[in-house]
Amino acid sequence: MSAIFMSNPTQLEAKLEEWLKHSPDRIRVEYETAYSGHKVYAISLSDFAVPDEKKRKLYVAQPHAHEPATTAGMIDVIEQLVAGYDLAGRPTLLDVGKVLAGMVVTFNPIGNPGGVERSPYPYWDGTEVPNERFWCIMFGEDPDAPGQRWNRVDQFDTKELQAPDPIGIAYEQLDAYTYVEPNRTQLSSYSKLFRRMDAEYRYDYWLDLHQTEFVNSATQCQILLPTVGLQTDEIRIQCEAWANHISEVWREAGFVVRPPAPLGYTGTQAEYFRRNWGDIHRRMCKMTVEVKNNSACTPPERQMEAEALAVVATIRRICGEV
Ligand SMILES: [Zn+2]
């Protein structure tokens, strides 16, 4: 399993070198350099001989360093688009020639490589770390309340408050003192890279890959739609049909699927999304994939499979194959 579940920057860069050697004309690579020194990659696949303006554009990304199956799933899909086989050696369901002629698909497989490097585990399978401990690794352990998860904020400055030691792996370090949660600010490498790539390709769809614990539930997968009120009716209807399609593909693959629902955040957390991505939601279909993390009922290879399936189903749908 560990051979095909790849989630750290070294593994991604080794694969990237391989892909570029195999298909130099069909891959374009751009990156932001994070404060940690890591490159945050946007890997675009297409038949670049076909004019871009005729293509549908899809962006696929991961903001959270504690959700490694998202990276593993993206690496698997890129492998399918390059080699025609998934990492387990099965032939891809994608009509690769048609996909690359008709689309630009851009992947940001590791949004916060510095956070991933600080992660004590390559994946979360629920066998060693209880959720309460996992949440402290994610956002840090509250110095005033041992055993409790620290604040979830868009940005903080270690000169101004007593931050946890160590800092939670979900946060990206921007300078000596500043940390951010990548998808809640425009200052992160994840956001800067998206804005730069979007200026180049102007995407039609964005699939943001995540994981969550689905505490006390058998649920393994769910699509979260944008917060109510952010989208036009037309885009909302398009999004719901897309979400239902992915949900059906998951069910057919034997996953326990919760029906799509709008992102449940209220108050400050909802405001982060409105402020940062309101313009994007008004323009394109952007959805959140959630796959169960840190539970023995969903081993890492199944987590990876669910993430990859969501991307493959999306590409096939956009290409009119299903
Ligand atoms: Zn997440």
Side-chain angles (χ1 to χ4, degrees), residues 63-64 66-67 210-211 290:
H64 287 142
H66 58 275
E67 298 165 0
H210 292 253
Q211 297 193 257
E290 293 284 7

Side-chain angles (χ1 to χ4, degrees), residues 127-200:
T127 59
E128 286 184 50
V129 183
N131 279 332
E132 292 71 18
R133 180 76 209 126
F134 178 41
W135 296 330
C136 290
I137 293 169
M138 224 181 260
F139 290 103
E141 186 173 0
D142 190 340
D144 297 324
Q148 299 287 309
R149 191 199 88 174
W150 193 63
N151 305 334
R152 182 170 202 174
V153 289
D154 55 347
Q155 178 173 349
F156 64 91
D157 183 327
T158 57
K159 293 196 298 311
E160 288 167 9
L161 44 73
Q162 192 197 354
D165 181 15
I167 302 279
I169 63 172
Y171 290 110
E172 179 186 8
Q173 185 168 12
L174 295 191
D175 59 37
Y177 308 104
T178 311
Y179 291 81
V180 296
E181 184 176 349
N183 61 344
R184 281 159 170 75
T185 169
Q186 296 300 302
L187 302 174
S188 63
S189 302
Y190 159 90
S191 297
K192 286 198 290 194
L193 187 62
F194 170 75
R195 294 290 179 183
R196 202 174 98 203
M197 298 307 296
D198 190 47
E200 188 174 338

Side-chain angles (χ1 to χ4, degrees), residues 8 15 29 47 55 111 263 268 273 278 297 300 316:
N8 72 44
K15 285 309 290 184
V29 181
D47 179 349
K55 295 171 181 162
L263 202 61
T268 311
F273 286 94
C297 84
R316 293 185 76 194

Side-chain angles (χ1 to χ4, degrees), residues 16-183:
L16 184 55
E17 207 182 309
E18 224 180 81
W19 296 326
L20 285 168
K21 208 172 280 175
H22 186 284
S23 300
D25 300 337
R26 298 183 148 200
I27 303 173
R28 286 186 185 163
V29 181
E30 289 171 69
Y31 59 85
E32 290 284 322
T33 303
Y35 177 75
S36 63
H38 294 94
K39 290 174 180 167
V40 182
Y41 292 102
I43 303 168
S44 299
L45 290 100
S46 189
D47 179 349
F48 291 104
V50 178
D52 273 356
E53 54 271 23
K54 293 188 180 153
K55 295 171 181 162
R56 309 301 287 168
K57 321 277 172 52
L58 168 68
Y59 197 76
V60 187
Q62 176 232 45
H64 287 142
H66 58 275
E67 298 165 0
T70 58
T71 301
M74 279 186 269
I75 292 177
D76 191 51
V77 178
I78 299 172
E79 179 81 8
Q80 294 182 43
L81 287 169
V82 173
Y85 292 86
D86 69 11
L87 290 164
R90 295 168 297 211
T92 181
L93 292 172
L94 297 167
D95 180 341
V96 173
K98 187 176 170 190
V99 170
L100 297 183
M103 292 180 73
V104 177
V105 190
T106 301
F107 297 88
N108 169 6
I110 305 183
N112 174 15
V116 172
E117 294 282 18
R118 290 189 281 117
S119 177
Y121 295 92
Y123 48 74
W124 305 91
D125 62 8
T127 59
E128 286 184 50
V129 183
N131 279 332
E132 292 71 18
R133 180 76 209 126
F134 178 41
W135 296 330
C136 290
I137 293 169
M138 224 181 260
F139 290 103
E141 186 173 0
D142 190 340
D144 297 324
Q148 299 287 309
R149 191 199 88 174
W150 193 63
N151 305 334
R152 182 170 202 174
V153 289
D154 55 347
Q155 178 173 349
F156 64 91
D157 183 327
T158 57
K159 293 196 298 311
E160 288 167 9
L161 44 73
Q162 192 197 354
D165 181 15
I167 302 279
I169 63 172
Y171 290 110
E172 179 186 8
Q173 185 168 12
L174 295 191
D175 59 37
Y177 308 104
T178 311
Y179 291 81
V180 296
E181 184 176 349
N183 61 344

